[in-house]
Amino acid sequence: MGALLEVTNLTTHFTTRDGVVRAVDGVSFSLDKGQTLAIVGESGSGKSVTALSLMRLIPEPPGKIAAGEVLLNGDSVLAMNEEQVRSLRGDRIAMIFQDPMTSLNPVFRVGHQIAEALRLHKKMTRREAEARAVDMLELVGIPNAPHRARDYPHQFSGGMRQRAMIAMALACDPDILIADEPTTALDVTIQAQILELMIEMQQRTGAAIIMITHDLGVVADMANDVMVMYAGKQVEYGSAHEVFYKPLHPYTWGLLDSLPRHDIDEKGTLLPIEGQPPSLIDVPPGCAFHPRCPYARSVCRTKVPELRDVENGHLAACHFAGEPGFVRGAATPDREAVTA
């Protein structure tokens, strides 16, 4: 039996006046039922565009899914017509967007917006859908749900709007839940509650989760696998344990070094990754990360590294990953030759 979701060589471009933005460039992964995949990286690395591509939400033009294959239970999502894709969204694949205030319609009551998806996908009557919407709001911890279901989005706090978005996403019991920065701009208490809610939902329904974030700490205890993206490409892929405790790519090392640690006693200095992510219109030759990489060597400037299996399914796109002596914190003798 195949994976629930299989993505192969997904490539998404945007045509602009300045050139072609290669937002997602050859991404591949698979996801099984009940598993959680975390996609991490800095802003602009291609995480959200990957998720939007899976749901066929890329605006055309200027965007275009230029290549690749997305199979959901063996069905090709990219080959579906518009009507088939609309029936897919919210039912088999649901998404929690970054900003609930812009994702919820301000002129409709919150309960109505949740009930609308149920009436469309589950063919419920208005009364059945409204009752189910109240149940979902109660499930996500909205107090006095029958009353609050009649409120408008602006009457909810930020945390409550995010919970309402989760209720809407979970209402139809999707096979896959995509959570795009679901805890951004929320305080740490609400963050923990929302992550716990998603885990409870997964245990109850067996859904798969794709968690998109720039914060590795958010998914440390939640993800089965982690995919690290940089400049539209995968640079590392492996189990959460491998990526956190045996990372192979210098970019992943940089992300981890900039993250506060709560599992060790030593107090260390947080080390930021120097520089800025590259323009996706004009990606540097060779390894896209080499201008910022303290471990770069001359070959990194000219040759694009392939994503390869370094150790038992732990993948990395680095010329030197896995080599003896190429370890986190080691000096690079010819770094000056690379930056000159």
Side-chain angles (χ1 to χ4, degrees):
M1 183 177 178
L4 173 63
L5 179 69
E6 294 183 81
V7 179
T8 307
N9 192 36
L10 182 63
T11 304
T12 303
H13 296 166
F14 292 87
T15 302
T16 70
R17 292 180 179 179
D18 296 323
V20 176
V21 177
R22 300 178 183 276
V24 178
D25 196 1
V27 167
S28 300
F29 63 89
S30 63
L31 186 65
D32 293 326
K33 184 175 181 180
Q35 283 196 317
T36 298
L37 169 68
I39 304 178
V40 301
E42 294 169 290
S43 297
S45 60
K47 308 182 303 295
S48 295
V49 177
T50 298
L52 293 173
S53 299
L54 298 180
M55 297 188 70
R56 293 267 302 274
L57 288 173
I58 300 298
E60 299 185 19
K64 181 182 180 182
I65 300 176
E69 183 67 89
V70 178
L71 298 178
L72 177 61
N73 277 330
D75 298 329
S76 175
V77 175
L78 302 186
M80 293 179 180
N81 59 38
E82 286 299 320
E83 183 177 350
Q84 291 172 319
V85 173
R86 280 195 298 270
S87 67
L88 178 82
R89 299 180 191 132
D91 186 18
R92 297 173 66 189
I93 304 181
M95 187 167 180
I96 304 169
F97 294 92
Q98 286 191 39
D99 186 357
M101 195 62 212
T102 57
S103 303
L104 292 167
N105 193 318
V107 301
F108 289 105
R109 300 178 193 273
V110 172
H112 170 84
Q113 296 187 56
I114 298 173
E116 183 181 25
L118 291 163
R119 295 182 66 195
L120 175 65
H121 295 298
K122 300 303 182 184
K123 309 303 179 186
M124 291 184 178
T125 65
R126 181 185 296 274
R127 180 171 295 181
E128 290 171 338
E130 289 176 351
R132 169 72 168 165
V134 171
D135 290 342
M136 293 304 301
L137 289 174
E138 290 178 341
L139 179 67
V140 298
I142 299 294
N144 195 12
H147 173 75
R148 299 312 299 263
R150 296 194 294 272
D151 285 346
Y152 292 91
H154 72 272
Q155 295 174 286
F156 277 37
S157 67
M160 290 174 66
R161 285 195 295 268
Q162 194 68 288
R163 288 168 181 261
M165 280 295 300
I166 294 174
M168 187 182 301
L170 302 184
C172 295
D173 289 331
D175 296 326
I176 299 173
L177 175 66
I178 301 174
D180 188 0
E181 303 279 8
T183 58
T184 297
L186 300 179
D187 63 64
V188 292
T189 302
I190 300 299
Q191 282 186 18
Q193 291 174 352
I194 286 178
L195 294 176
E196 183 179 351
L197 174 65
M198 293 173 60
I199 293 171
E200 290 175 356
M201 176 279 304
Q202 185 178 48
Q203 293 172 344
R204 180 175 57 85
T205 66
I209 295 175
I210 298 176
M211 172 74 79
I212 297 171
T213 181
H214 62 274
D215 186 353
L216 277 162
V218 169
V219 297
D221 298 321
M222 184 176 176
N224 300 107
D225 295 327
V226 176
M227 180 170 76
V228 184
M229 292 188 68
Y230 185 78
K233 292 179 176 287
Q234 296 165 276
V235 295
E236 186 160 353
Y237 188 101
S239 71
H241 184 273
E242 290 171 336
V243 173
F244 275 93
Y245 294 102
K246 297 180 180 179
L248 295 172
H249 198 283
Y251 179 60
T252 311
W253 297 346
L255 292 177
L256 290 170
D257 287 341
S258 65
L259 181 71
R261 295 287 297 272
H262 304 289
D263 58 341
I264 55 177
D265 295 331
E266 291 84 358
K267 303 296 183 182
T269 302
L270 299 183
L271 303 174
I273 301 175
E274 299 293 338
Q276 297 293 327
S279 164
L280 296 182
I281 295 175
D282 187 20
V283 178
C287 175
F289 186 57
H290 89 258
R292 306 173 67 192
C293 180
Y295 305 90
R297 303 176 185 178
S298 299
V299 68
C300 304
R301 187 169 54 185
T302 57
K303 185 178 180 182
V304 178
E306 294 183 1
L307 184 70
R308 57 190 175 87
D309 190 335
V310 178
E311 184 178 346
N312 299 323
H314 189 177
L315 314 179
C318 175
H319 295 300
F320 308 104
E323 287 190 4
F326 188 76
V327 294
R328 194 171 171 185
T332 302
D334 59 348
R335 173 63 182 161
E336 292 184 3
V338 178
T339 56

